[in-house]
Amino acid sequence: MAYDLEEQEQLESLKRWWKKHGNWITWVLIAVLGCYAVYAYWGYYQRKQTAQASQLYYEMQNAVMSDDNERALRVAKDTQEKFERTAYAPMVTLVAAKMAYEENKVDVAKTQLQWVVDNAKQDGYKAIARLRLAGILLDEKAYDEGLKLLSAGFPEPFVGLAEDRKGDFLVAQNKLDDARTAYRTALEKTSPDDPGRQLIQLKLEEIGIPPDSKG
């Protein structure tokens, strides 16, 4: 009988505690479960997006194999519109830009590259797009625009390439002292075993700089 009374007291105590705290505990549990559900759905959504985008990437490969520039542009447009947040979007767009440029559709190539610069979530792809777009602007003698594009921060692996391209712009503007500085920085940032170092060194020699004995 005493045991029953003790158990009943514990039960009454639990009821009082739940009456006092149960409401906010329930809301906390709902919030936690809701967050988990959102997280689980987002993971599923991202996996689904990536899988679907990969199919468009394979379609782009087929477009490259058949040298079908119009098809490549359609694939790029679809990927940009439907799967902008995936890594496939800038990958496909860079390929479409290259194909357009090789067909002398320079304005189309520039538009595709600018899309990557403006929308890619990955710094590496943005850097590649900036460098390629800068090359086109150099050909068009759009020097100020090109230098502005190269003034953006670049990931460390791309700094040497950016400084090399910057030197090209400065030489075209006959700003040789600034060009030398850019080329020297490019050499400093370029790996010793990178074959591109030889070309940078040649550029320095062409504007009156003797070869670096350590290069």
Side-chain angles (χ1 to χ4, degrees), residues 24 37 47-48 51 68 73 84 93 158-159 161 164 194 208-209:
W24 72 265
R47 289 192 297 273
K48 183 179 179 181
D68 188 341
L73 289 173
E84 175 185 345
T93 303
F158 296 91
V159 172
L161 293 169
D164 179 27
D194 189 327
I209 299 297

Side-chain angles (χ1 to χ4, degrees), residues 15-105:
K15 287 180 178 179
R16 288 193 298 272
W17 183 89
W18 181 257
K19 185 176 181 180
K20 183 178 180 180
H21 302 289
N23 191 45
W24 72 265
I25 289 176
T26 299
W27 280 108
V28 168
L29 288 173
I30 290 173
V32 170
L33 291 172
C35 289
Y36 175 77
V38 170
Y39 175 79
Y41 174 76
W42 180 245
Y44 165 77
Y45 175 77
Q46 286 188 312
R47 289 192 297 273
K48 183 179 179 181
Q49 286 270 293
T50 300
Q52 292 176 339
S54 68
Q55 295 301 314
L56 286 174
Y57 179 72
Y58 292 132
E59 188 174 340
M60 174 61 82
Q61 290 181 319
N62 292 331
V64 172
M65 293 292 292
S66 59
D67 198 25
D68 188 341
N69 183 58
E70 293 303 319
R71 182 181 178 185
L73 289 173
R74 287 196 302 272
V75 173
K77 185 174 185 295
D78 286 345
T79 311
Q80 292 164 14
E81 292 177 350
K82 298 176 183 178
F83 309 108
E84 175 185 345
R85 299 184 65 85
T86 70
Y88 288 103
M91 288 169 59
V92 165
T93 303
L94 286 171
V95 174
K98 182 176 183 295
M99 293 180 68
Y101 183 79
E102 289 175 349
E103 288 196 4
N104 294 319
K105 297 179 179 178

Side-chain angles (χ1 to χ4, degrees), residues 171-182:
V171 168
Q173 291 179 303
N174 202 35
K175 297 178 180 179
L176 300 186
D177 287 340
D178 292 337
R180 292 181 186 109
T181 299

Side-chain angles (χ1 to χ4, degrees), residues 80 84 89-90 93-94 96-98 106-121 125-134 136-137 140 145-146 148-150 152:
Q80 292 164 14
E84 175 185 345
T93 303
L94 286 171
K98 182 176 183 295
V106 178
D107 288 341
V108 174
K110 288 169 64 178
T111 298
Q112 297 301 312
L113 292 171
Q114 190 63 54
W115 186 93
V116 178
V117 171
D118 294 338
N119 297 282
K121 310 304 178 185
Y125 290 129
K126 292 172 80 77
I128 293 170
R130 284 196 181 100
L131 289 167
R132 292 183 180 176
L133 183 54
I136 295 175
L137 294 173
E140 293 179 341
E145 186 180 352
K148 181 179 179 181
L149 190 66
L150 293 170

Side-chain angles (χ1 to χ4, degrees), residues 134-135 137-138 142-143 146-147 150 165-173:
L137 294 173
L138 181 61
Y143 302 137
L147 285 170
L150 293 170
R165 184 55 52 85
K166 188 183 297 183
D168 296 343
F169 274 92
L170 293 167
V171 168
Q173 291 179 303

